[in-house]
Coordinates of all heavy atoms in Angstrom, one line a residue:
L11 N 211.3 -108.6 62.4 CA 210.3 -109.4 63.0 C 209.0 -109.3 62.2 O 208.6 -108.2 61.8 CB 210.0 -109.1 64.5 CG 211.1 -109.6 65.5 CD1 210.8 -109.0 66.8 CD2 211.2 -111.1 65.5
V12 N 208.3 -110.4 62.0 CA 207.0 -110.4 61.3 C 206.0 -110.9 62.3 O 206.2 -111.9 63.0 CB 207.1 -111.3 60.1 CG1 205.7 -111.6 59.5 CG2 208.0 -110.7 59.0
V13 N 204.9 -110.2 62.3 CA 203.7 -110.6 63.1 C 202.6 -110.9 62.1 O 202.3 -110.1 61.2 CB 203.2 -109.5 64.0 CG1 201.9 -110.0 64.8 CG2 204.3 -109.2 65.0
E14 N 202.0 -112.1 62.2 CA 201.0 -112.5 61.3 C 199.8 -113.1 62.0 O 199.9 -113.9 62.9 CB 201.5 -113.6 60.3 CG 200.5 -114.0 59.2 CD 201.1 -115.0 58.2 OE1 202.3 -115.3 58.4 OE2 200.4 -115.4 57.3
D15 N 198.6 -112.6 61.7 CA 197.3 -113.2 62.1 C 196.8 -114.1 61.0 O 196.3 -113.6 60.0 CB 196.3 -112.1 62.5 CG 195.1 -112.7 63.1 OD1 194.6 -113.7 62.7 OD2 194.6 -112.1 64.1
E16 N 197.0 -115.4 61.2 CA 196.6 -116.3 60.1 C 195.1 -116.4 59.8 O 194.6 -116.5 58.7 CB 197.2 -117.7 60.4 CG 198.7 -117.7 60.5 CD 199.2 -119.0 61.1 OE1 198.4 -119.9 61.4 OE2 200.5 -119.1 61.2
R17 N 194.3 -116.2 60.9 CA 192.9 -116.2 60.7 C 192.4 -115.0 60.0 O 191.5 -115.1 59.1 CB 192.2 -116.3 62.1 CG 190.6 -116.3 62.0 CD 190.1 -116.5 63.4 NE 190.4 -115.4 64.3 CZ 189.7 -114.3 64.5 NH1 188.5 -114.1 63.8 NH2 190.0 -113.3 65.3
L18 N 192.9 -113.8 60.3 CA 192.4 -112.6 59.6 C 193.2 -112.2 58.4 O 192.9 -111.3 57.7 CB 192.5 -111.4 60.6 CG 191.7 -111.5 61.9 CD1 191.9 -110.4 62.8 CD2 190.2 -111.6 61.5
D19 N 194.3 -113.0 58.1 CA 195.1 -112.8 57.0 C 195.7 -111.4 57.0 O 195.7 -110.7 56.0 CB 194.4 -113.1 55.7 CG 195.3 -113.2 54.5 OD1 196.5 -113.6 54.7 OD2 194.9 -112.9 53.3
R20 N 196.3 -111.0 58.1 CA 196.9 -109.7 58.3 C 198.4 -110.0 58.8 O 198.6 -110.8 59.7 CB 196.2 -108.8 59.3 CG 194.8 -108.5 58.8 CD 194.8 -107.3 57.9 NE 195.3 -106.1 58.4 CZ 194.7 -105.3 59.2 NH1 193.4 -105.5 59.6 NH2 195.3 -104.2 59.7
A21 N 199.3 -109.2 58.2 CA 200.7 -109.4 58.6 C 201.4 -108.1 58.4 O 201.1 -107.3 57.5 CB 201.4 -110.5 57.8
R22 N 202.4 -107.9 59.3 CA 203.3 -106.7 59.2 C 204.7 -107.1 59.5 O 205.0 -108.0 60.4 CB 202.8 -105.6 60.1 CG 201.6 -104.9 59.7 CD 201.3 -103.7 60.6 NE 200.0 -103.1 60.2 CZ 199.5 -102.0 60.8 NH1 200.1 -101.5 61.8 NH2 198.3 -101.6 60.4
L23 N 205.6 -106.5 58.8 CA 207.1 -106.7 59.1 C 207.6 -105.4 59.9 O 207.4 -104.3 59.4 CB 207.8 -106.9 57.8 CG 209.3 -107.1 57.9 CD1 209.8 -108.1 56.9 CD2 210.1 -105.8 57.8
Y24 N 208.2 -105.7 61.0 CA 208.7 -104.6 61.8 C 210.3 -104.5 61.7 O 211.0 -105.5 61.9 CB 208.3 -104.8 63.3 CG 206.8 -104.6 63.5 CD1 206.0 -105.8 63.5 CD2 206.3 -103.4 63.7 CE1 204.6 -105.6 63.7 CE2 204.9 -103.2 63.9 CZ 204.1 -104.4 63.9 OH 202.7 -104.2 64.1
N25 N 210.7 -103.4 61.3 CA 212.1 -103.2 60.9 C 212.7 -102.1 61.8 O 212.3 -100.9 61.7 CB 212.1 -102.8 59.4 CG 213.5 -102.3 59.0 OD1 214.5 -102.5 59.6 ND2 213.5 -101.7 57.8
Y26 N 213.7 -102.4 62.6 CA 214.4 -101.4 63.5 C 215.6 -100.8 62.8 O 216.4 -100.1 63.5 CB 214.9 -102.1 64.8 CG 213.8 -102.4 65.8 CD1 212.9 -103.5 65.6 CD2 213.5 -101.6 66.8 CE1 211.9 -103.8 66.5 CE2 212.5 -101.8 67.8 CZ 211.7 -103.0 67.6 OH 210.7 -103.2 68.5
G27 N 215.7 -100.9 61.5 CA 216.9 -100.4 60.8 C 216.6 -99.2 59.9 O 217.4 -99.0 58.9
M28 N 215.6 -98.5 60.2 CA 215.3 -97.3 59.3 C 216.1 -96.1 59.7 O 216.3 -95.8 60.9 CB 213.8 -97.0 59.4 CG 212.9 -98.2 59.1 SD 212.9 -98.7 57.4 CE 212.1 -97.3 56.6
F29 N 216.6 -95.4 58.7 CA 217.3 -94.1 58.9 C 217.2 -93.3 57.7 O 216.9 -93.7 56.6 CB 218.8 -94.3 59.3 CG 219.6 -95.0 58.3 CD1 220.4 -94.2 57.4 CD2 219.7 -96.3 58.1 CE1 221.2 -94.7 56.5 CE2 220.5 -96.9 57.1 CZ 221.3 -96.1 56.3
S30 N 217.5 -92.0 57.9 CA 217.3 -91.0 56.8 C 218.5 -90.9 55.9 O 219.7 -90.9 56.5 CB 217.0 -89.6 57.4 OG 217.0 -88.7 56.4
F31 N 218.3 -90.9 54.6 CA 219.4 -90.7 53.7 C 219.6 -89.3 53.3 O 220.1 -89.0 52.2 CB 219.2 -91.6 52.4 CG 219.4 -93.0 52.6 CD1 218.4 -93.9 53.0 CD2 220.7 -93.6 52.4 CE1 218.6 -95.2 53.2 CE2 220.9 -94.9 52.6 CZ 219.8 -95.8 53.0
G32 N 219.2 -88.4 54.2 CA 219.3 -86.9 53.9 C 220.7 -86.4 53.7 O 221.7 -87.2 54.0
D33 N 220.8 -85.2 53.4 CA 222.2 -84.6 53.2 C 223.0 -84.6 54.4 O 224.3 -84.6 54.3 CB 222.0 -83.1 52.7 CG 221.3 -83.0 51.4 OD1 221.4 -84.0 50.6 OD2 220.7 -81.9 51.1
D34 N 222.4 -84.6 55.6 CA 223.2 -84.6 56.8 C 223.4 -85.9 57.4 O 224.0 -86.1 58.5 CB 222.5 -83.7 57.9 CG 221.1 -84.2 58.2 OD1 220.6 -85.0 57.5 OD2 220.5 -83.6 59.2
M35 N 223.0 -87.0 56.7 CA 223.2 -88.3 57.2 C 224.6 -88.7 57.5 O 225.0 -89.2 58.6 CB 222.6 -89.4 56.3 CG 222.5 -90.8 56.8 SD 224.0 -91.8 56.5 CE 223.8 -92.2 54.7
L36 N 225.6 -88.4 56.6 CA 227.0 -88.8 56.8 C 227.6 -88.0 57.9 O 228.4 -88.5 58.7 CB 227.7 -88.6 55.5 CG 227.4 -89.5 54.3 CD1 228.3 -89.2 53.1 CD2 227.8 -91.0 54.8
V37 N 227.2 -86.7 58.0 CA 227.7 -85.9 59.1 C 227.2 -86.4 60.5 O 228.0 -86.6 61.4 CB 227.2 -84.4 58.9 CG1 227.6 -83.6 60.2 CG2 227.8 -83.8 57.7
K38 N 225.9 -86.8 60.6 CA 225.4 -87.3 61.8 C 226.1 -88.7 62.2 O 226.4 -88.9 63.3 CB 223.9 -87.5 61.7 CG 223.1 -86.2 61.7 CD 221.6 -86.5 61.6 CE 220.8 -85.2 61.7 NZ 219.4 -85.5 61.6
F39 N 226.3 -89.5 61.1 CA 227.0 -90.8 61.4 C 228.4 -90.5 61.9 O 228.9 -91.1 62.8 CB 227.0 -91.6 60.1 CG 227.7 -92.9 60.3 CD1 227.1 -94.0 61.0 CD2 229.0 -93.1 59.8 CE1 227.8 -95.2 61.2 CE2 229.7 -94.3 60.0 CZ 229.1 -95.4 60.7
A40 N 229.1 -89.6 61.2 CA 230.5 -89.3 61.6 C 230.6 -88.7 63.0 O 231.6 -89.0 63.7 CB 231.1 -88.3 60.6
M41 N 229.6 -88.0 63.4 CA 229.5 -87.4 64.7 C 229.0 -88.4 65.8 O 229.0 -88.1 67.0 CB 228.6 -86.2 64.8 CG 229.1 -85.1 63.8 SD 230.7 -84.4 64.3 CE 230.3 -83.5 65.8
G42 N 228.6 -89.6 65.4 CA 228.1 -90.6 66.3 C 226.7 -90.2 66.8 O 226.3 -90.6 67.9
R43 N 225.9 -89.5 66.0 CA 224.6 -89.0 66.5 C 223.5 -89.3 65.5 O 222.7 -88.4 65.2 CB 224.7 -87.4 66.7 CG 225.7 -87.1 67.8 CD 226.2 -85.6 67.8 NE 227.3 -85.4 68.6 CZ 228.1 -84.3 68.6 NH1 227.7 -83.3 67.8 NH2 229.1 -84.2 69.3
L44 N 223.6 -90.5 64.9 CA 222.6 -90.9 63.9 C 221.5 -91.6 64.6 O 221.6 -92.5 65.3 CB 223.3 -91.8 62.9 CG 222.4 -92.2 61.7 CD1 222.0 -91.0 60.9 CD2 223.2 -93.2 60.8
W45 N 220.3 -91.0 64.3 CA 219.1 -91.6 64.9 C 218.4 -92.6 63.9 O 218.3 -92.3 62.8 CB 218.1 -90.5 65.3 CG 218.5 -89.8 66.5 CD1 219.4 -88.8 66.6 CD2 218.1 -90.0 67.9 NE1 219.6 -88.3 67.9 CE2 218.8 -89.1 68.7 CE3 217.2 -90.9 68.4 CZ2 218.6 -89.1 70.1 CZ3 217.0 -90.9 69.8 CH2 217.7 -90.0 70.6

């Protein structure tokens, strides 16, 4: 989702799909415990 204030020329994109690519990422995914 993008929120934009056209008058102030300010905008941000909100992304709910962020996750860590750390060493334990695959383990957490395999365990069903990925945040």
Side-chain angles (χ1 to χ4, degrees):
L11 284 171
V12 168
V13 179
E14 182 176 0
D15 186 317
E16 298 170 359
R17 179 176 63 90
L18 299 177
D19 194 26
R20 296 280 299 278
R22 288 188 184 179
L23 181 143
Y24 293 94
N25 170 13
Y26 284 81
M28 304 293 290
F29 64 97
S30 172
F31 285 91
D33 294 338
D34 60 348
M35 186 271 286
L36 290 178
V37 174
K38 289 181 177 179
F39 178 77
M41 298 295 289
R43 299 162 193 169
L44 184 60
W45 285 82

